Amino acid sequence: MAGTVPLSRDGVVATLTLSNPDKLNAFDKPMWQALIPLLRRLGADETVRAVVLRGAGGRAFSPGADISEFETERNSPEQGADYGVLMDEGLALLRDLPHPTLAAIQGACCGIGLAVALACDLRVCTAGSRFGVPVSRLGISMALPELKLLHDIAGGPAALEILLEGRVFGAEEAKDKRLVHRLVADEAFEEEIAATCERIAGGAPLAARLHKQFVRRLSDPAPLSEAEIAECYHCFGTEDFREGYRAFLEKRKPVFKGR
C-alpha cells in the first residue's frame, strides 16, 4: 500500500503527516508526489503561520527511503538521478517555504527522513528518538543536496562521522551534533509541539519571513549590500509594526495580519 501525506489545519497552523503505516513512514515515490504540490499550496497561502511535519502513529518520523522501491524505481544511475530530482524538489520547497517549519520527531528519523527534518527551521524530538544515515550499508552515498543540509547544520566533521560509521544514535547525541534544537520526554511532547507553534504563530508573520531570509543570507560570506541592509527597516512601515507597538503600550495581545 502506497504512502500518503495528509494535510490538516488547526487555525493558522498546518500539519503535514508522513504516513506509510506498514513501513514506519518510510518515504516512497507517492509520498514525494503528494508532498510537493502540498508544499506549493502552503507556500502560497498567506493565512498559514506555521507548518508542522510529523510521522503518523507516533512510532517513527521516518526511517528513510522505502527500500522495496529500489529494484523498480532506482535500479540504474538514470533512475537514481530521476528519483533524486523528485526528492531534491521536495527538500528545496520545504527549505524555501516562507512560513516557519517545525519537524516534530518521534522514534526513527534516518536517511532521507533526517534530510526532511533538517530542511525544517526547527526540530523538536522525544528523548527516545533515533537518528542516523546508514546508506553505506545499501552501497550508496547520500546525494549532495541532502548531504548539504547535514553538512550545513552538523558541520563537515560530524557529517563525515555520521556517514562513514552509519550508526543509528540517540537523541542526546543528535542534540550534541546540532541535529535537533530540543528533546523532551514522551509525555510532554505534544504539549511542547503545541506551545512551540503557539509561540511562532504569536509573532508577526512578516517578521518571521524576514528572519528566515536574513539568517540564510548571513550564511553567505558576500558583503551585505546597502539595499539588503535597508530591507531590515521596511517593517517600520507595516500595519503589523503599528499593531505590535500599540498592543504593547495598551498591554494587550497583538493581532497581526501579515501586512
Side-chain angles (χ1 to χ4, degrees):
M1 187 173 180
T4 60
V5 186
L7 169 65
S8 60
R9 283 287 294 265
D10 182 7
V12 297
V13 178
T15 298
L16 292 164
T17 302
L18 309 175
S19 180
N20 194 351
D22 295 336
K23 299 179 180 179
L24 290 176
N25 308 323
F27 264 93
D28 61 14
K29 194 172 187 178
M31 290 170 71
W32 287 109
Q33 292 170 331
L35 181 62
I36 287 169
L38 289 174
L39 290 172
R40 293 189 187 281
R41 175 175 152 193
L42 289 172
D45 188 343
E46 295 187 355
T47 68
V48 174
R49 300 287 179 89
V51 177
V52 178
L53 265 79
R54 65 188 312 153
R59 294 174 57 202
F61 182 79
S62 173
D66 181 353
I67 309 302
S68 69
E69 282 191 331
F70 279 30
E71 190 167 5
T72 57
E73 297 287 351
R74 304 170 75 174
N75 202 16
S76 69
E78 294 75 21
Q79 280 192 330
D82 288 343
Y83 203 104
V85 168
L86 188 69
M87 293 193 299
D88 296 345
E89 183 179 5
L91 290 171
L93 284 168
L94 179 57
R95 183 175 178 269
D96 295 339
L97 207 64
H99 319 299
T101 53
L102 168 65
I105 302 167
Q106 296 169 285
C109 180
C110 298
I112 193 62
L114 177 57
V116 167
L118 295 177
C120 294
D121 300 314
L122 300 177
R123 290 165 295 283
V124 177
C125 74
T126 58
S129 296
R130 302 178 308 283
F131 302 82
V133 188
V135 293
S136 63
R137 305 294 187 267
L138 299 171
I140 60 175
S141 65
M142 193 177 199
L144 282 170
E146 303 155 32
L147 179 49
K148 187 176 189 309
L149 291 166
L150 180 62
H151 178 278
D152 288 351
I153 291 170
L160 199 55
E161 177 195 7
I162 290 168
L163 291 167
L164 291 181
E165 293 192 17
R167 285 187 300 116
V168 175
F169 48 88
E172 289 283 358
E173 185 173 348
K175 189 171 187 299
D176 289 341
K177 287 179 164 60
R178 302 188 296 184
L179 300 179
V180 296
H181 294 87
R182 291 193 298 280
L183 57 97
V184 296
D186 288 354
E187 61 271 18
F189 183 70
E190 295 301 338
E191 182 180 353
E192 180 61 25
I193 295 302
T196 301
C197 290
E198 184 176 356
R199 289 189 291 266
I200 293 170
L206 291 177
R209 293 176 188 179
L210 286 173
H211 285 147
K212 288 189 63 167
Q213 174 187 328
F214 293 160
V215 168
R216 184 170 304 171
R217 173 61 180 88
L218 290 174
S219 67
D220 183 344
L224 294 169
S225 67
E226 290 185 8
E228 287 175 316
I229 294 172
E231 189 176 8
C232 303
Y233 305 107
H234 291 174
C235 56
F236 288 94
T238 65
E239 290 182 31
D240 279 358
F241 164 65
R242 289 187 287 275
E243 168 63 13
Y245 81 76
R246 287 169 181 166
F248 179 85
L249 294 174
E250 295 167 8
K251 296 182 173 57
R252 60 176 175 81
K253 186 176 180 179
V255 180
F256 295 118
K257 298 179 180 178
R259 298 196 294 268

